């Protein structure tokens, strides 16, 4: 017990150090260009309001992207999003340093706006994920931890201009962006190395991407198999959720190989579930004679994306609510959700079987009707045959 507490404490300290360093460098990169950027770009003929737009587009990108990335954190994993955001902003910062080679005013302005916008997206990605890490690991001291991190954020904003001015004096326009951007890109694999669990959550996304085309082609080839794919996807996802914790009633301890296997089959299950879903929705619309035109397809696609977005909204809320229940936690929450998926698969299976049974009865009734018609056409009607036909028709009506 003491060893586990010690490891947990070291992990939190290490995470705090990384987040503080991340905030320091990120904020210094934001303010890095203040001492020299306006003076340099004025030489290219840019007006003051155009320069202001280059400054403003960075926080604007963060403003519009932060809610979206907030929805993505539970799916993608906070460590992966920190890694991706660092790489994105650092890479664009390095490219920003090469803009001084462009002499055309309009080309320079357009590329500067695009790069600063993408930098803002990268910053929004890792900042949103970093805050979620703080909320997860430091629930009892969120305000204190945020205070420490914000201290380094303010420090980064303060040291950015003098560092930028110094590097500009030494090596010109390119050097400040190249050095600080390279540091950010270099931090990404370091973060992945010291906190490796974040990279594990690339597995379901990678698995999904690898087999998506194959799943779609297989589902289209066997049109009657859309629902079979959906059932298989639900069952596979149910099994994977039993493995990720793992389920408490299995009495199995969590290890890396079990986690990797669970994430792989989770990626397969989501692929089987989502790839044929839209196709099945259209198939049902046509089969029920709702319509087979652009209007039907448009309404169906809107309903499909609305349902998917609604799931992304309520999923984190329900999951977080269950996890915070003291007697449940993540293991029981994952197991419960797995059981819900299994029940869902069972309900769909029962519905498909009931439909097949109803279709079989209807087909049998049609065959009886055909036999009666043939008998009436081949034989001259007699009193006995007419009575027999009437009784047969009554039986068919009673069955229906």
């Amino acid at each position: 017990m003491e060893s586990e507490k010690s490891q947990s404490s070291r992990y939190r300290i290490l995470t705090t150090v990384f987040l503080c360093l991340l905030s320091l460098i990120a904020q210094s990169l934001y303010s890095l260009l203040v001492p020299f950027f306006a003076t340099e770009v004025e030489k290219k003929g840019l007006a003051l309001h155009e320069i202001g737009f280059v400054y403003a587009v960075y926080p604007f990108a963060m403003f519009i992207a932060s809610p979206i990335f907030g929805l993505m954190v539970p799916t993608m994993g906070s460590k992966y999003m920190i890694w991706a955001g660092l790489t994105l902003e650092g890479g664009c910062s390095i490219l920003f340093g090469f803009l001084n080679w462009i002499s055309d005013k309009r080309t320079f302005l357009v590329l500067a706006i695009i790069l600063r916008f993408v930098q803002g997206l990268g910053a929004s990605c890792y900042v949103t994920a970093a805050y979620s890490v703080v909320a997860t690991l430091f629930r009892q001291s969120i305000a204190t931890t945020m205070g420490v991190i914000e201290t380094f954020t303010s420090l980064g904003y303060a040291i950015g201009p003098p560092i930028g001015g110094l590097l500009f004096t030494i090596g010109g326009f390119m050097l400040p962006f190249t050095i600080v951007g390279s540091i950010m890109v270099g931090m990404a694999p370091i973060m992945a190395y010291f906190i490796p669990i974040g990279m594990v959550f690339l597995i379901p996304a990678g698995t999904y991407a690898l087999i998506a085309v194959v799943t779609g082609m297989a589902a289209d080839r066997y049109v009657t198999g859309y629902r079979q794919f959906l059932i298989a996807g639900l069952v596979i996802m149910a099994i994977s959720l039993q493995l990720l914790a793992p389920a408490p009633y299995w009495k199995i301890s969590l290890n890396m190989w079990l986690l990797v296997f669970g994430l792989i089959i989770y990626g397969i299950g989501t692929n089987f579930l989502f790839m044929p879903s839209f196709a099945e929705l259209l198939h049902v619309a046509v089969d029920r004679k709702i319509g087979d035109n652009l209007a039907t397809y448009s309404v169906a696609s809107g309903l499909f994306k609305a349902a998917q977005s609604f799931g992304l909204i309520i999923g984190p809320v329900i999951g977080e609510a269950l996890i915070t229940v003291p007697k449940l936690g993540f293991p029981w929450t994952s197991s419960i959700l797995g059981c819900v998926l299994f029940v869902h698969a069972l309900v769909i299976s029962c519905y498909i079987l009931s439909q097949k049974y109803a279709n079989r009865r209807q087909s049998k009734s049609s065959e009886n009707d055909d036999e009666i018609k043939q008998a009436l056409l081949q034989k001259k009607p007699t009193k006995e045959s007419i009575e027999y036909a009437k009784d047969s028709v009554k039986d068919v009506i009673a069955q229906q």
Side-chain angles (χ1 to χ4, degrees):
M1 183 66 70
E2 291 297 328
S3 177
E4 290 181 0
K5 288 183 179 180
S6 178
Q7 289 180 359
S8 176
S9 178
R10 285 197 297 268
Y11 177 78
R12 292 185 180 188
I13 292 172
L14 180 64
T15 303
T16 305
V17 170
F18 268 108
L19 293 178
C20 289
L21 184 60
L22 176 65
S23 300
L24 177 71
I25 296 175
Q27 199 61 33
S28 65
L29 178 60
Y30 174 73
S31 60
L32 192 74
L33 71 173
V34 171
F36 61 88
F37 182 75
T39 305
E40 286 297 303
V41 297
E42 279 182 349
K43 297 177 183 178
K44 297 182 180 294
L46 265 69
L48 289 177
H49 71 277
E50 293 173 325
I51 298 172
F53 195 76
V54 173
Y55 283 121
V57 74
Y58 183 102
F60 175 73
M62 294 189 68
F63 170 74
I64 63 174
S66 293
I68 300 172
F69 287 132
L71 294 174
M72 292 171 61
V73 170
T75 304
M76 303 298 292
S78 55
K79 307 300 187 298
Y80 167 69
M81 290 188 66
I82 291 174
W83 174 81
L86 281 171
T87 304
L88 186 62
E89 185 176 11
C92 288
S93 300
I94 295 172
L95 292 176
F96 199 93
F98 290 89
L99 287 181
N100 205 38
W101 290 7
I102 300 173
S103 56
D104 181 70
K105 168 189 169 182
R106 292 301 167 193
T107 305
F108 178 92
L109 179 61
V110 170
L111 291 178
I113 290 173
I114 292 173
L115 288 175
R116 286 288 284 181
F117 184 83
V118 178
Q119 279 182 305
L121 293 180
S124 175
C125 184
Y126 65 71
V127 169
T128 304
Y131 281 13
S132 70
V133 171
V134 172
T136 302
L137 294 180
F138 305 96
R139 288 182 182 171
Q140 305 303 320
S141 56
I142 293 179
T144 303
T145 307
M146 288 301 302
V148 174
I149 294 174
E150 287 300 314
T151 299
F152 280 86
T153 301
S154 302
L155 181 61
Y157 187 81
I159 66 173
I163 291 176
L166 177 63
L167 293 175
F168 175 78
T169 304
I170 297 173
F173 186 90
M174 181 189 296
L175 190 63
F177 299 105
T178 304
I179 289 182
V180 179
S182 298
I183 292 174
M184 294 192 74
V185 173
M187 280 185 64
I190 294 174
M191 180 78 76
Y193 177 79
F194 282 101
I195 314 178
I197 194 72
M199 299 303 292
V200 172
F201 291 96
L202 283 170
I203 293 173
T207 305
Y208 189 98
L210 286 174
I211 66 172
V213 176
V214 177
T215 304
M217 291 174 64
D220 282 334
R221 184 172 182 179
Y222 305 103
V223 179
T224 57
Y226 285 149
R227 293 179 180 178
Q228 283 74 8
F229 272 92
L230 299 181
I231 294 170
L234 287 169
V235 172
I236 293 172
M237 289 179 67
I239 295 172
S240 70
L241 289 174
Q242 301 291 319
L243 296 175
L244 291 179
Y249 41 78
W250 282 13
K251 307 298 181 183
I252 302 174
S253 59
L254 179 64
N255 59 72
M256 183 60 69
W257 292 111
L258 185 63
L259 179 62
V260 169
F261 178 71
L263 290 173
I264 288 174
I265 65 172
Y266 183 84
I268 296 172
T270 53
N271 203 292
F272 279 28
L273 180 62
F274 291 123
M275 281 294 108
S277 295
F278 184 60
E280 172 63 17
L281 184 62
L282 296 179
H283 181 70
V284 170
V286 174
D287 187 56
R288 298 296 175 86
K289 303 189 186 312
I290 296 174
D292 189 7
N293 49 48
L294 180 61
T296 304
Y297 304 154
S298 301
V299 173
S301 62
L303 291 173
F304 181 77
K305 292 307 296 182
Q308 195 176 45
S309 300
F310 183 66
L312 291 174
I313 293 171
I314 66 171
V317 176
I318 295 174
E320 185 66 24
L322 290 174
I323 289 174
T324 53
V325 176
K327 293 185 178 181
L328 292 180
F330 179 71
W332 276 110
T333 298
S334 181
S335 305
I336 291 171
L337 294 177
C339 292
V340 170
L341 291 178
F342 184 77
V343 171
H344 192 179
L346 190 62
V347 170
I348 294 178
S349 300
C350 292
Y351 175 72
I352 293 174
L353 291 174
S354 65
Q355 273 197 327
K356 286 186 176 181
Y357 178 71
N359 292 336
R360 190 176 300 170
R361 287 189 59 185
Q362 187 174 2
S363 176
K364 189 174 181 180
S365 298
S366 299
E367 290 176 1
N368 290 337
D369 290 341
D370 292 339
E371 290 177 1
I372 293 170
K373 290 178 182 178
Q374 290 295 329
L376 292 174
L377 290 172
Q378 292 175 4
K379 296 181 180 180
K380 292 182 179 180
T382 61
K383 185 177 180 180
E384 291 80 6
S385 63
I386 291 173
E387 291 298 326
Y388 174 77
K390 288 181 178 179
D391 292 338
S392 299
V393 171
K394 288 179 180 179
D395 291 339
V396 171
I397 294 172
Q399 287 179 3
Q400 292 180 344

